[in-house]
Amino acid sequence: MQDDDLEYVGFWARTGAALIDTVILLVLMLPALISIYGWEYLDSEKLLHGPADFVISWVLPAIAVVIFWIKKQATPGKMIISARIVDAQPCADMSTQQAVIRYLAYFVSIIPLCLGLIWVAFDPRKQGWHDKIAGTVVVRPKHRGVQPVKFH
């Protein structure tokens, strides 16, 4: 696909994709966590309940996200909106190193009141801080098969 056929994906589309990914993760994680820690898990204010909580809530999602980024260039939420994550310079597939850096850079984007995520709304290339740190952009086809409205 030519660069002219692509557009940067903006804040609201990316927010929607992230919400889809969050719901998918919760549907997969909560039954496992409740089966291990019981229903009290949902009422607890603890940040971490034990080793299984750490693995299910932190390690497995990180591995899954990075694998999706490497294999599909997107998480399921981004796939639904026809978005993909690419190297910012040549618009090629991002490397494994970029995927890992991008994931870790999410924490840099989130810690200061999520400013690094909100940055997507104001950046000309729609890059969050995690994208800038990893050297990535999120793009999608300009014309995604939607029929234009025609009144007769």
Short mmCIF file of all heavy atoms in Angstrom, two decimals, residues 10-45:
data_model
loop_
_atom_site.label_atom_id
_atom_site.label_comp_id
_atom_site.label_asym_id
_atom_site.label_seq_id
_atom_site.Cartn_x
_atom_site.Cartn_y
_atom_site.Cartn_z
N GLY A 10 -6.37 8.89 14.54
CA GLY A 10 -6.49 9.89 15.58
C GLY A 10 -6.86 9.37 16.96
O GLY A 10 -7.03 8.16 17.18
N PHE A 11 -7.01 10.30 17.86
CA PHE A 11 -7.22 10.01 19.27
C PHE A 11 -8.47 9.18 19.54
O PHE A 11 -8.42 8.18 20.25
CB PHE A 11 -7.29 11.34 20.06
CG PHE A 11 -7.57 11.17 21.51
CD1 PHE A 11 -6.55 10.82 22.38
CD2 PHE A 11 -8.85 11.33 22.03
CE1 PHE A 11 -6.79 10.65 23.74
CE2 PHE A 11 -9.10 11.15 23.38
CZ PHE A 11 -8.07 10.82 24.24
N TRP A 12 -9.61 9.57 19.02
CA TRP A 12 -10.86 8.89 19.35
C TRP A 12 -10.91 7.48 18.78
O TRP A 12 -11.40 6.56 19.44
CB TRP A 12 -12.07 9.72 18.94
CG TRP A 12 -12.19 10.93 19.81
CD1 TRP A 12 -12.04 12.23 19.43
CD2 TRP A 12 -12.44 10.97 21.22
NE1 TRP A 12 -12.18 13.07 20.52
CE2 TRP A 12 -12.43 12.31 21.62
CE3 TRP A 12 -12.66 9.99 22.18
CZ2 TRP A 12 -12.64 12.70 22.94
CZ3 TRP A 12 -12.88 10.38 23.50
CH2 TRP A 12 -12.87 11.72 23.87
N ALA A 13 -10.43 7.30 17.56
CA ALA A 13 -10.40 5.94 16.98
C ALA A 13 -9.48 5.04 17.80
O ALA A 13 -9.82 3.89 18.08
CB ALA A 13 -9.96 6.00 15.53
N ARG A 14 -8.35 5.58 18.21
CA ARG A 14 -7.41 4.79 19.02
C ARG A 14 -7.97 4.52 20.41
O ARG A 14 -7.76 3.45 20.97
CB ARG A 14 -6.06 5.50 19.08
CG ARG A 14 -5.34 5.44 17.73
CD ARG A 14 -4.07 6.24 17.70
NE ARG A 14 -3.03 5.66 18.54
CZ ARG A 14 -1.77 6.06 18.53
NH1 ARG A 14 -1.39 7.03 17.70
NH2 ARG A 14 -0.89 5.50 19.31
N THR A 15 -8.70 5.47 20.96
CA THR A 15 -9.35 5.26 22.25
C THR A 15 -10.38 4.14 22.14
O THR A 15 -10.45 3.26 23.01
CB THR A 15 -10.02 6.56 22.75
OG1 THR A 15 -9.01 7.56 22.90
CG2 THR A 15 -10.72 6.36 24.07
N GLY A 16 -11.17 4.15 21.09
CA GLY A 16 -12.14 3.09 20.86
C GLY A 16 -11.48 1.73 20.73
O GLY A 16 -11.94 0.74 21.31
N ALA A 17 -10.39 1.68 19.99
CA ALA A 17 -9.64 0.42 19.83
C ALA A 17 -9.10 -0.07 21.18
O ALA A 17 -9.16 -1.26 21.49
CB ALA A 17 -8.50 0.61 18.83
N ALA A 18 -8.61 0.86 21.99
CA ALA A 18 -8.09 0.50 23.32
C ALA A 18 -9.21 -0.03 24.22
O ALA A 18 -8.99 -0.97 25.00
CB ALA A 18 -7.40 1.70 23.96
N LEU A 19 -10.38 0.56 24.12
CA LEU A 19 -11.51 0.07 24.92
C LEU A 19 -11.90 -1.35 24.51
O LEU A 19 -12.20 -2.19 25.36
CB LEU A 19 -12.70 1.02 24.80
CG LEU A 19 -12.55 2.36 25.51
CD1 LEU A 19 -13.72 3.29 25.16
CD2 LEU A 19 -12.44 2.18 27.01
N ILE A 20 -11.90 -1.62 23.22
CA ILE A 20 -12.19 -2.97 22.72
C ILE A 20 -11.16 -3.96 23.28
O ILE A 20 -11.51 -5.03 23.78
CB ILE A 20 -12.21 -3.00 21.19
CG1 ILE A 20 -13.42 -2.23 20.66
CG2 ILE A 20 -12.21 -4.44 20.66
CD1 ILE A 20 -13.36 -1.92 19.17
N ASP A 21 -9.88 -3.59 23.21
CA ASP A 21 -8.82 -4.45 23.73
C ASP A 21 -8.98 -4.68 25.23
O ASP A 21 -8.76 -5.79 25.73
CB ASP A 21 -7.45 -3.86 23.44
CG ASP A 21 -7.10 -3.87 21.96
OD1 ASP A 21 -7.64 -4.72 21.23
OD2 ASP A 21 -6.29 -3.03 21.55
N THR A 22 -9.37 -3.65 25.97
CA THR A 22 -9.55 -3.76 27.41
C THR A 22 -10.67 -4.74 27.74
O THR A 22 -10.53 -5.59 28.63
CB THR A 22 -9.84 -2.38 28.03
OG1 THR A 22 -8.72 -1.51 27.74
CG2 THR A 22 -10.05 -2.46 29.53
N VAL A 23 -11.78 -4.64 27.02
CA VAL A 23 -12.90 -5.55 27.26
C VAL A 23 -12.47 -6.99 26.97
O VAL A 23 -12.77 -7.91 27.74
CB VAL A 23 -14.13 -5.14 26.42
CG1 VAL A 23 -15.20 -6.23 26.44
CG2 VAL A 23 -14.70 -3.82 26.92
N ILE A 24 -11.77 -7.20 25.87
CA ILE A 24 -11.30 -8.55 25.52
C ILE A 24 -10.39 -9.10 26.63
O ILE A 24 -10.54 -10.25 27.06
CB ILE A 24 -10.58 -8.55 24.16
CG1 ILE A 24 -11.58 -8.29 23.04
CG2 ILE A 24 -9.83 -9.87 23.93
CD1 ILE A 24 -10.95 -8.01 21.68
N LEU A 25 -9.46 -8.28 27.10
CA LEU A 25 -8.56 -8.72 28.17
C LEU A 25 -9.32 -9.05 29.45
O LEU A 25 -9.04 -10.05 30.11
CB LEU A 25 -7.49 -7.67 28.44
CG LEU A 25 -6.32 -7.63 27.47
CD1 LEU A 25 -5.42 -6.44 27.75
CD2 LEU A 25 -5.51 -8.92 27.54
N LEU A 26 -10.29 -8.21 29.80
CA LEU A 26 -11.06 -8.47 31.01
C LEU A 26 -11.86 -9.76 30.91
O LEU A 26 -11.93 -10.53 31.87
CB LEU A 26 -12.00 -7.30 31.31
CG LEU A 26 -11.34 -6.04 31.87
CD1 LEU A 26 -12.35 -4.91 31.99
CD2 LEU A 26 -10.67 -6.31 33.20
N VAL A 27 -12.45 -10.01 29.75
CA VAL A 27 -13.22 -11.24 29.54
C VAL A 27 -12.31 -12.48 29.70
O VAL A 27 -12.75 -13.51 30.18
CB VAL A 27 -13.92 -11.22 28.16
CG1 VAL A 27 -14.44 -12.59 27.76
CG2 VAL A 27 -15.04 -10.20 28.16
N LEU A 28 -11.07 -12.34 29.30
CA LEU A 28 -10.14 -13.46 29.41
C LEU A 28 -9.51 -13.58 30.80
O LEU A 28 -9.31 -14.68 31.31
CB LEU A 28 -9.03 -13.32 28.36
CG LEU A 28 -9.48 -13.41 26.89
CD1 LEU A 28 -8.33 -13.07 25.96
CD2 LEU A 28 -10.05 -14.79 26.60
N MET A 29 -9.22 -12.44 31.43
CA MET A 29 -8.49 -12.46 32.69
C MET A 29 -9.36 -12.67 33.92
O MET A 29 -8.98 -13.41 34.83
CB MET A 29 -7.71 -11.14 32.87
CG MET A 29 -6.57 -10.97 31.91
SD MET A 29 -5.69 -9.37 31.98
CE MET A 29 -6.38 -8.48 33.30
N LEU A 30 -10.50 -12.01 33.97
CA LEU A 30 -11.32 -12.06 35.19
C LEU A 30 -11.75 -13.47 35.60
O LEU A 30 -11.65 -13.80 36.78
CB LEU A 30 -12.52 -11.13 35.07
CG LEU A 30 -12.23 -9.66 35.36
CD1 LEU A 30 -13.48 -8.82 35.22
CD2 LEU A 30 -11.61 -9.46 36.73
N PRO A 31 -12.21 -14.31 34.68
CA PRO A 31 -12.57 -15.66 35.13
C PRO A 31 -11.40 -16.41 35.77
O PRO A 31 -11.58 -17.10 36.78
CB PRO A 31 -13.04 -16.36 33.85
CG PRO A 31 -13.48 -15.25 32.96
CD PRO A 31 -12.57 -14.10 33.29
N ALA A 32 -10.21 -16.25 35.20
CA ALA A 32 -9.03 -16.91 35.77
C ALA A 32 -8.71 -16.35 37.15
O ALA A 32 -8.45 -17.11 38.10
CB ALA A 32 -7.84 -16.75 34.84
N LEU A 33 -8.75 -15.03 37.28
CA LEU A 33 -8.43 -14.41 38.57
C LEU A 33 -9.47 -14.76 39.63
O LEU A 33 -9.13 -15.03 40.79
CB LEU A 33 -8.31 -12.89 38.40
CG LEU A 33 -7.10 -12.44 37.59
CD1 LEU A 33 -7.22 -10.98 37.19
CD2 LEU A 33 -5.81 -12.69 38.36
N ILE A 34 -10.75 -14.77 39.26
CA ILE A 34 -11.81 -15.10 40.21
C ILE A 34 -11.72 -16.57 40.62
O ILE A 34 -11.94 -16.91 41.78
CB ILE A 34 -13.19 -14.74 39.63
CG1 ILE A 34 -13.32 -13.22 39.55
CG2 ILE A 34 -14.32 -15.34 40.47
CD1 ILE A 34 -14.50 -12.73 38.74
N SER A 35 -11.36 -17.44 39.67
CA SER A 35 -11.24 -18.86 40.02
C SER A 35 -10.09 -19.11 40.99
O SER A 35 -10.14 -20.04 41.79
CB SER A 35 -11.09 -19.72 38.76
OG SER A 35 -9.83 -19.53 38.17
N ILE A 36 -9.07 -18.28 40.93
CA ILE A 36 -7.91 -18.44 41.82
C ILE A 36 -8.13 -17.73 43.15
O ILE A 36 -7.88 -18.29 44.22
CB ILE A 36 -6.63 -17.94 41.13
CG1 ILE A 36 -6.30 -18.81 39.92
CG2 ILE A 36 -5.46 -17.90 42.12
CD1 ILE A 36 -5.24 -18.25 39.01
N TYR A 37 -8.61 -16.48 43.11
CA TYR A 37 -8.68 -15.65 44.31
C TYR A 37 -10.10 -15.48 44.85
O TYR A 37 -10.29 -14.84 45.90
CB TYR A 37 -8.06 -14.28 44.04
CG TYR A 37 -6.59 -14.37 43.70
CD1 TYR A 37 -6.14 -14.20 42.40
CD2 TYR A 37 -5.66 -14.65 44.69
CE1 TYR A 37 -4.79 -14.30 42.09
CE2 TYR A 37 -4.30 -14.75 44.38
CZ TYR A 37 -3.88 -14.57 43.09
OH TYR A 37 -2.55 -14.67 42.79
N GLY A 38 -11.10 -15.98 44.15
CA GLY A 38 -12.48 -15.85 44.59
C GLY A 38 -13.06 -14.49 44.23
O GLY A 38 -12.38 -13.61 43.72
N TRP A 39 -14.35 -14.34 44.52
CA TRP A 39 -15.06 -13.10 44.19
C TRP A 39 -14.54 -11.91 44.98
O TRP A 39 -14.74 -10.76 44.59
CB TRP A 39 -16.56 -13.27 44.41
CG TRP A 39 -17.18 -14.15 43.37
CD1 TRP A 39 -17.50 -15.48 43.49
CD2 TRP A 39 -17.49 -13.80 42.02
NE1 TRP A 39 -18.00 -15.96 42.31
CE2 TRP A 39 -18.02 -14.95 41.38
CE3 TRP A 39 -17.39 -12.62 41.29
CZ2 TRP A 39 -18.43 -14.96 40.06
CZ3 TRP A 39 -17.82 -12.63 39.96
CH2 TRP A 39 -18.33 -13.78 39.37
N GLU A 40 -13.85 -12.17 46.09
CA GLU A 40 -13.28 -11.08 46.88
C GLU A 40 -12.24 -10.29 46.08
O GLU A 40 -11.94 -9.15 46.40
CB GLU A 40 -12.60 -11.64 48.15
CG GLU A 40 -13.52 -12.38 49.09
CD GLU A 40 -13.78 -13.82 48.64
OE1 GLU A 40 -12.89 -14.46 48.04
OE2 GLU A 40 -14.90 -14.30 48.89
N TYR A 41 -11.73 -10.92 45.05
CA TYR A 41 -10.74 -10.25 44.20
C TYR A 41 -11.30 -8.92 43.67
O TYR A 41 -10.58 -7.92 43.60
CB TYR A 41 -10.35 -11.16 43.03
CG TYR A 41 -9.35 -10.52 42.09
CD1 TYR A 41 -7.99 -10.56 42.37
CD2 TYR A 41 -9.76 -9.86 40.93
CE1 TYR A 41 -7.07 -9.97 41.54
CE2 TYR A 41 -8.84 -9.26 40.08
CZ TYR A 41 -7.50 -9.32 40.40
OH TYR A 41 -6.59 -8.71 39.57
N LEU A 42 -12.58 -8.92 43.33
CA LEU A 42 -13.20 -7.72 42.75
C LEU A 42 -13.41 -6.61 43.77
O LEU A 42 -13.45 -5.43 43.41
CB LEU A 42 -14.54 -8.08 42.09
CG LEU A 42 -14.46 -9.08 40.94
CD1 LEU A 42 -15.85 -9.44 40.45
CD2 LEU A 42 -13.61 -8.55 39.81
N ASP A 43 -13.56 -6.97 45.04
CA ASP A 43 -13.80 -5.98 46.09
C ASP A 43 -12.52 -5.47 46.74
O ASP A 43 -12.54 -4.46 47.43
CB ASP A 43 -14.70 -6.58 47.18
CG ASP A 43 -16.10 -6.86 46.67
OD1 ASP A 43 -16.57 -6.12 45.78
OD2 ASP A 43 -16.72 -7.83 47.15
N SER A 44 -11.44 -6.16 46.52
CA SER A 44 -10.19 -5.84 47.19
C SER A 44 -9.56 -4.57 46.62
O SER A 44 -9.70 -4.26 45.43
CB SER A 44 -9.22 -7.00 47.04
OG SER A 44 -7.97 -6.66 47.60
N GLU A 45 -8.87 -3.87 47.47
CA GLU A 45 -8.13 -2.68 47.04
C GLU A 45 -6.64 -2.96 46.85
O GLU A 45 -5.87 -2.06 46.54
CB GLU A 45 -8.33 -1.56 48.06
CG GLU A 45 -9.76 -1.05 48.09
CD GLU A 45 -9.96 0.09 49.07
OE1 GLU A 45 -8.96 0.70 49.51
OE2 GLU A 45 -11.12 0.38 49.38
#
